[in-house]
Amino acid sequence: MSQTTKTTTLLVIGGGPGGYVAAIRAGQLGVPTILVEGERLGGTCLNIGCIPSKALIHAAEEYEKARHYADGSALGISVSNPSIDVVRTVAWKDGIVGRLTGGVAALLKKNGVEVVQGWAHLVDGKTAQVETAAGSVRIQCEHLLLAAGSEPTPLPSVPFGGMVVSSTEALSPADIPKKLVVVGGGYIGLELGTVYRKLGAEVAVVEAQDRILPTYDAELTKPVAAALAKMGVELHLGRKVLGLNGAGNAVRVQDAAGAETQLPADRVLIAVGRRPRTQGWGLESLQLDRKGNALRIDDQCRTSMRDVWAIGDIAGEPMLAHRAMAQGEMVAEVIAGKRRHFTPASIPAVCFTDPEVVVSGLSPAEAERAGLDCLSASFPFAANGRAMTLESTDGFVRVVARRDNHLVVGWQAVGRGVSELAAAFSQSLEMGATLEDVAGTIHAHPTLGEAVQEAALKALGHALHI
């Protein structure tokens, strides 16, 4: 095998949303950049995360809709004997992923970024050794940007392999199991559990906490729990997973009192979270400061070593693609000599369950913990005309604002299609909007967005439609 040496100003390790955006922006700014990616450009998000999961969610919703119409519908639509070919569904999903990853490659090339396909091993803070198909490449740089992402957290009692899968395998099924047990009631477990239920599997979700989506406040998650129950998804809350039974066809579960039960399973999805990808590529040799498992960074994404930067999931929570993208863009600009800091007023988070959940800024409890005297108000979709025409009136929009000057500090919503409200929520927080600003903005009728205006009006004491 041959050995070559390359030098560059910026070396990016990882071609996920954070890494590729940093590389593109650096290229735009004239910074010589090399990006190293071991698998496929786009990282977890494009290949085995956000994009494929949303594609399967859409397919499952369309199939469920067809089955709903087969039972007769108030809309007057009838469908006979709908079926789904999961292999074709997965091929369609893969086509979307392929188009997006191909687009990333084209953008990197257009902006003069050199992509090296292979696995990087850090030698020091200025050097990486990359094993490629063509041989070994040593890359030396002035600035090292770590964007290696995260990986599914394993569960020691139920190791991956065979019938036990992570979200990666769950997103490319060859068939739909009769009985699926999902371990973890967070957004990944519930999104995929919902998909499999709509595609015909019997689904049981086991969660160690006493409610689903434990990182969200309870009021927001109630409509999701109600929808799961209506769908026929079993919820086993406050339960600990002990492992598989001897026959390997059931999951052993223990309740708070120590009583053990078994949940039959043809497949088990472990979705207990994700952890920064810090092992196996020489990162420990840099001896960077840590914050738990993650790398510690400042408000410019600098690590404890000069000219070594970290963005995205490897730098801990919130593990969101759009956070990584914003950090990547900023690091490229700082390296290019611009004055930038990463101090967003809002990083929205969306859970694509059915109904969807979106949060931006502070919840009422978080505002209270932060020592703010706030008022909050909710407007129900049951009083929204557009929600009625979509046959989906469960859920609400909630606003949180300071009592003294009415500055909006947070938004939350649960309901069908509320993910699209995230832009309005975050924009109002970044622009320092008050309740009066939102209430006085004419919102188009009939739209779900009217509930945003009505929530602000209600906080001011004069909602019009309730």
Side-chain angles (χ1 to χ4, degrees), residues 269-308:
L269 167 60
I270 304 297
V272 293
R274 296 183 65 83
R275 63 183 184 186
R277 198 188 297 272
T278 56
Q279 303 293 316
W281 50 286
L283 182 62
E284 56 280 356
S285 67
L286 271 56
Q287 296 188 322
L288 301 173
D289 288 354
R290 300 284 180 106
K291 185 178 181 181
N293 267 337
L295 297 180
R296 185 183 291 279
I297 56 172
D298 68 7
D299 67 358
Q300 288 188 307
C301 296
R302 297 176 188 271
T303 68
S304 55
M305 183 179 280
R306 183 180 171 85
D307 294 336
V308 177

Side-chain angles (χ1 to χ4, degrees), residues 21 63 104 147 151 164 182 212 307 350:
V21 166
Y63 178 52
V104 170
E151 60 195 2
V164 180
V182 178
I212 58 165
D307 294 336
V350 180

Side-chain angles (χ1 to χ4, degrees), residues 241-270:
V241 171
L242 301 176
L244 298 181
N245 65 348
N249 61 4
V251 177
R252 295 169 52 222
V253 176
Q254 188 180 60
D255 66 16
E260 186 182 318
T261 52
Q262 295 192 0
L263 303 176
D266 306 307
R267 200 166 301 164
V268 181
L269 167 60
I270 304 297

Side-chain angles (χ1 to χ4, degrees), residues 1 25 41 43 48 50 87-88 92 138 141 168 187 197 205 216 230 257 259 271 276 316 322-323 369 386 412 431 453:
M1 281 283 196
R25 185 66 184 124
L41 290 170
I48 53 171
C50 338
V87 173
R88 278 184 65 185
W92 166 77
R138 197 174 182 87
C141 62
T168 302
Y187 77 94
R197 180 68 192 125
V205 176
Y216 294 81
K230 189 176 176 184
H322 42 280
R323 167 190 178 239
R369 283 197 295 271
R386 181 58 177 150
Q412 298 85 41
M431 296 182 76
Q453 181 183 21

Side-chain angles (χ1 to χ4, degrees), residues 41-67:
L41 290 170
T44 293
C45 178
L46 262 65
N47 293 285
I48 53 171
C50 338
I51 297 298
S53 64
K54 301 306 105 60
L56 287 192
I57 285 168
H58 173 68
E61 282 178 350
E62 293 301 299
Y63 178 52
E64 184 197 40
K65 198 181 290 182
R67 289 169 70 197

